Amino acid sequence: MASLSLKHIFKVYDGKVKAVNDFCMDIKDKEFIVFVGPSGCGKSTTLRMIAGLEEITAGELRIDDEIVNDFEPKDRNIAMVFQNYALYPHMSVYDNMAFALRILHLPKEEIHEKVMWAASILGITEYLERKPKALSGGQRQRVALGRAIVRNPKVFLLDEPLSNLDAKLRAAMRSEISRLHERLGTTFIYVTHDQVEAMTMGTRIVVMKDGFVQQIDTPVNLYKYPDNVFVAGFIGTPQMNFFEGTVAKYGDDVLFKLDCGTAIDMKYIQADKIPVRYMDDKHKIIFGIRPDDVRVKSEANVDDGSWASAKAVVSVVEVLGGETLIYGNLNLETPDAEEGAIIIKASPDTIVRRGDVIDIEISRRKFHVFDKETEKSIRKRIPDASYVNASVLDGNLVIEGQSFALPSAVKCENAENIEVVIPISALTLGKGEGKAKVQWIENVEGKSLYFLKVGDLTMFSLEDGEATFKVGDSVDFDIDFTKVGIDALGVEPLNTTNILDGTFSKEKNKKEKCYDFFMNVGTAKLVPAEITCEKVFAVKGSKIFRTPLEYIFDASVATVSGHVEGAENVLTGIVNEILDYGHIKYARVDVEGQSIVVEYDGAEGDKVDVSIPAEAITIKDKTIDIIIA
Ligand code: ADP
């Protein structure tokens, strides 16, 4: 039984090589987690930090709620299986498996029982007397697994355990390890560079690249809803097809214009998760479609409006028996060019030849769209926000003919045809000035995603649990203006994350004969939590006193009260602006020459004390940009 929690884990080698950046994840008991990504992306480093074989530069690692950063590997109750088996060559299989138990001075009978149990699970009972060199690769890996399971660890870590085996054996061992996971009912963390291995074994997969987590999700979700071009291309074989181009909206219709010359048309409601800002025929996008979501046109195909027609020229046909892969190009003039290249997974009875020009159909449901510049998905499963064209008229925001009174904190002049970004969490249903019609509801992992028809546009709202409203309902909606951005008018969503420059210091406490530590912001001194002190010293040692830091906290954790002379452990400042959002009021407070935002219901010019719970403050080392506590 073990759950793990990795909070802001960093690994920095030699003070500069950032091998792992801000790895955050909660792993539940009995999960089978796979870390996958190309060589050098930081997967092994992360695994080795969990094992205790590599020091954690910064961050917090918990096993079953206990912080284990400083635990020796042997005290973490973890077993690790390596790619090269790491068996003792001079010992028999039996002794290899019994070794760790003998070190623990377990009774002989108990050791025997455990070894025989593990050997029978792994089917190696008949080799117990052999030396490792008299075993095949697959058998050796079984012994390595056996050596791990006899110890009955809380967590199993496996670092590319199958990469020394041939393809057939690898496939067999994959299912064996999956069965072992089911049988043992322990938490497994498995590292591989092979996406097929990841997809077939993991209950959840962490895709990594260049030291950064790209996406954490189930195999199915990674395949269906990749967050970016990297994940989209990495997961799935044959790879997703990518085409650069632009997209435009003409009334109810949307047209993707690919650089290779092909145009893909569809209805706006089939593409309405894409922010309209991209539908300007200018923004460069990448259109992605999996080989499974393209089909060769045939009489038998049902036309239900969810397939767009196109043409392709065939360059290579691979008949695989169960299916046929057609390699071709959307640009009929350039069958072998990279630009416009497409792979189509067709049924085995499809008969096409090199040079044929074929009619194909591209799914209008299962396509992907990415921003060319950021390579992030812009057709996300849950859209970040509704992007709407609106105007501002005398203190009102007008969206599709509907007026919303702007709170006094949102100051802007009259303007027409400007983009307003309303994050999905800013739009709530069931009350408010807005009127919408529920056009569609999608269930996304226990949440209800509403597609709301507002005039000509689709807007989004998310509700936890079952949907309160149903398709066809007319609903009222409310906009939380603290979250709304109107770029063109300089209106930004209220940023409630406060960042203060500061330092860390110590003072001799004569009475207690020890040092007191402080988080300094200008002349203000805040008392850190004990755990914070431990963490900053663990990462920085005494260098902490010379390191420029950032103290980060959210407005929601701060409490504000009238200034009291001599108050300690507070930030004292002057309110220089009141931000009235109607349902909530905030204040900008000048503190030691820096500005913070807090919830406050007073007046401009007030002198206030802001207190922040010590454990709610995050500390960042500005020199190498890592979170240290
Ligand atoms: P992966 O397991 O994904 O192949 P690693 O975790 O082994 O990647 O390595 C991640 C990065 O850290 C790589 O750039 C690698 O060169 C670097 N690295 C790993 N170990 C060390 C080390 N001991 N000293 C310096 N850099 C290292």
Side-chain angles (χ1 to χ4, degrees):
M1 285 275 291
S3 58
L4 286 93
S5 149
L6 294 94
K7 261 201 207 130
H8 302 298
I9 300 278
F10 288 83
K11 179 69 194 183
V12 184
Y13 286 111
D14 313 322
K16 48 183 191 293
V17 183
K18 280 206 225 168
V20 178
N21 285 279
D22 207 8
F23 194 117
C24 295
M25 184 180 191
D26 285 321
I27 299 173
K28 290 189 285 291
D29 184 34
K30 297 193 179 61
E31 277 202 275
F32 194 133
I33 301 294
V34 180
F35 296 168
V36 70
S39 178
C41 70
K43 2 180 240 302
S44 297
T45 303
T46 309
L47 196 75
R48 294 169 61 83
M49 286 193 283
I50 297 172
L53 301 172
E54 199 80 70
E55 205 179 309
I56 297 171
T57 307
E60 193 177 278
L61 171 67
R62 286 171 188 263
I63 300 178
D64 281 342
D65 270 346
E66 189 168 28
I67 298 179
V68 298
N69 287 48
D70 297 328
F71 283 30
E72 290 292 320
K74 66 176 173 42
D75 299 328
R76 297 188 183 197
N77 207 349
I78 274 176
M80 186 141 166
V81 178
F82 299 91
Q83 173 180 355
N84 58 8
Y85 324 129
L87 300 177
Y88 301 109
H90 58 285
M91 287 186 197
S92 68
V93 167
Y94 187 99
D95 290 340
N96 261 288
M97 288 176 30
F99 186 76
L101 303 177
R102 288 187 182 136
I103 288 181
L104 295 175
H105 300 295
L106 292 191
K108 228 173 164 174
E109 303 73 50
E110 195 180 331
I111 294 177
H112 183 69
E113 209 174 287
K114 288 191 171 184
V115 170
M116 296 313 287
W117 167 74
S120 78
I121 285 184
L122 294 161
I124 48 175
T125 315
E126 53 195 289
Y127 314 117
L128 286 172
E129 297 313 315
R130 288 200 197 166
K131 296 271 167 63
K133 69 171 186 302
L135 298 175
S136 70
Q139 290 162 345
R140 280 180 213 174
Q141 195 51 280
R142 280 194 193 95
V143 178
L145 287 167
R147 204 172 47 173
I149 66 177
V150 290
R151 292 172 40 208
N152 202 15
K154 279 192 190 177
V155 186
F156 258 87
L157 305 180
L158 302 102
D159 193 354
E160 305 247 8
L162 305 184
S163 44
N164 282 354
L165 307 180
D166 65 55
K168 200 167 158 205
L169 192 55
R170 219 161 47 218
M173 283 299 283
R174 276 209 296 264
S175 42
E176 207 159 301
I177 292 178
S178 294
R179 272 202 304 277
L180 190 64
H181 169 250
E182 270 168 39
R183 181 143 182 194
L184 298 178
T186 19
T187 311
F188 274 46
I189 307 177
Y190 187 105
V191 161
T192 179
H193 61 273
D194 179 348
Q195 62 95 13
V196 176
E197 221 163 274
M199 292 294 277
T200 50
M201 300 175 84
T203 49
R204 279 197 301 159
I205 299 175
V206 182
V207 183
M208 297 181 74
K209 183 190 167 209
D210 299 338
F212 288 90
V213 171
Q214 302 293 307
Q215 193 171 351
I216 302 178
D217 217 327
T218 60
V220 171
N221 284 348
L222 286 179
Y223 184 83
K224 285 167 78 170
Y225 314 107
D227 276 347
N228 58 39
V229 171
F230 176 77
V231 176
F234 193 75
I235 300 287
T237 34
Q239 221 201 30
M240 186 185 286
N241 299 297
F242 295 112
F243 307 97
E244 289 183 16
T246 56
V247 52
K249 179 175 185 288
Y250 304 101
D252 286 343
D253 296 305
V254 166
L255 194 64
F256 290 89
K257 300 179 191 172
L258 310 184
D259 292 351
C260 60
T262 297
I264 299 167
D265 67 315
M266 60 184 73
K267 292 283 167 210
Y268 169 66
I269 54 165
Q270 291 170 312
D272 58 5
K273 279 186 176 174
I274 303 169
V276 279
R277 65 160 61 166
Y278 287 98
M279 300 190 177
D280 60 355
D281 210 6
K282 286 198 200 76
H283 267 88
K284 290 295 278 183
I285 56 114
I286 299 171
F287 183 91
I289 188 90
R290 293 206 182 270
D292 314 60
D293 302 321
V294 185
R295 64 186 191 184
V296 178
K297 197 178 174 99
S298 110
E299 301 271 300
N301 289 353
V302 181
D303 179 13
D304 62 351
S306 51
W307 296 87
S309 301
K311 280 186 189 302
V313 56
V314 176
S315 56
V316 175
V317 182
E318 269 179 18
V319 180
L320 301 172
E323 66 200 25
T324 293
L325 293 182
I326 302 170
Y327 294 75
N329 204 295
L330 294 180
N331 184 339
L332 307 184
E333 309 298 318
T334 59
D336 299 311
E338 220 170 281
E339 171 93 50
I342 188 165
I343 305 174
I344 303 161
K345 205 184 259 184
S347 71
D349 48 14
T350 312
I351 297 168
V352 290
R353 272 177 232 89
R354 178 176 168 81
D356 285 357
V357 171
I358 54 174
D359 286 310
I360 60 169
E361 294 180 317
I362 294 171
S363 174
R364 288 174 176 144
R365 287 178 199 272
K366 298 184 185 172
F367 64 95
H368 303 261
V369 188
F370 307 93
D371 180 313
K372 161 93 192 314
E373 203 173 299
T374 64
E375 300 204 338
K376 292 207 168 115
S377 174
I378 51 171
R379 189 179 187 240
K380 293 173 75 165
R381 190 175 189 197
I382 299 178
D384 301 324
S386 307
Y387 294 77
V388 300
N389 270 315
S391 46
V392 175
L393 189 64
D394 304 333
N396 290 292
L397 182 68
V398 185
I399 301 170
E400 298 287 317
Q402 300 189 29
S403 264
F404 298 83
L406 288 166
S408 71
V410 180
K411 299 179 190 72
C412 50
E413 300 178 347
N414 288 352
E416 275 188 27
N417 200 19
I418 40 160
E419 184 195 61
V420 178
V421 182
I422 307 169
I424 193 153
S425 64
L427 204 151
T428 42
L429 300 182
K431 61 173 168 59
E433 299 168 279
K435 300 254 175 284
K437 192 159 187 148
V438 178
Q439 183 170 269
W440 185 244
I441 303 169
E442 224 171 80
N443 185 299
V444 185
E445 298 184 351
K447 295 191 171 108
S448 302
L449 172 66
Y450 287 93
F451 291 61
L452 304 163
K453 192 162 167 58
V454 181
D456 237 4
L457 286 175
T458 304
M459 291 173 71
F460 300 97
S461 179
L462 194 66
E463 186 180 342
D464 279 333
E466 292 276 311
T468 314
F469 303 95
K470 55 184 194 305
V471 174
D473 281 358
S474 293
V475 287
D476 297 337
F477 69 91
D478 197 23
I479 298 173
D480 175 356
F481 279 98
T482 60
K483 295 176 179 167
V484 169
I486 314 174
D487 230 17
L489 302 179
V491 176
E492 287 180 8
L494 180 73
N495 183 357
T496 58
T497 306
N498 292 301
I499 304 176
L500 287 169
D501 286 327
T503 53
F504 204 81
S505 68
K506 63 176 177 184
E507 280 174 28
K508 223 174 202 149
N509 182 331
K510 292 202 180 98
K511 213 163 78 201
E512 306 281 338
K513 293 203 170 52
C514 64
Y515 283 105
D516 290 332
F517 298 105
F518 294 103
M519 302 187 284
N520 306 81
V521 177
T523 61
K525 293 194 292 191
L526 301 178
V527 179
E530 206 167 307
I531 178 110
T532 306
C533 295
E534 283 173 23
K535 285 184 190 170
V536 297
F537 286 116
V539 179
K540 300 294 293 184
S542 59
K543 276 200 210 129
I544 187 66
F545 303 117
R546 285 169 271 131
T547 305
L549 302 170
E550 275 176 2
Y551 294 112
I552 304 166
F553 65 96
D554 193 80
S556 61
V557 303
T559 25
V560 185
S561 49
H563 175 62
V564 175
E565 207 48 48
E568 291 188 348
N569 198 18
V570 294
L571 297 168
T572 300
I574 307 285
V575 174
N576 80 9
E577 190 184 2
I578 293 288
L579 303 165
D580 186 349
Y581 285 97
H583 65 294
I584 189 164
K585 283 184 188 155
Y586 287 89
R588 274 190 215 287
V589 182
D590 272 343
V591 180
E592 304 286 336
Q594 304 184 53
S595 179
I596 58 171
V597 168
V598 291
E599 286 174 26
Y600 183 59
D601 196 3
E604 227 171 273
D606 286 356
K607 189 169 187 179
V608 292
D609 293 335
V610 178
S611 61
I612 310 149
E615 61 282 1
I617 301 177
T618 298
I619 307 181
K620 197 165 180 180
D621 174 346
K622 283 180 76 172
T623 55
I624 47 170
D625 195 24
I626 68 171
I627 293 164
I628 56 175

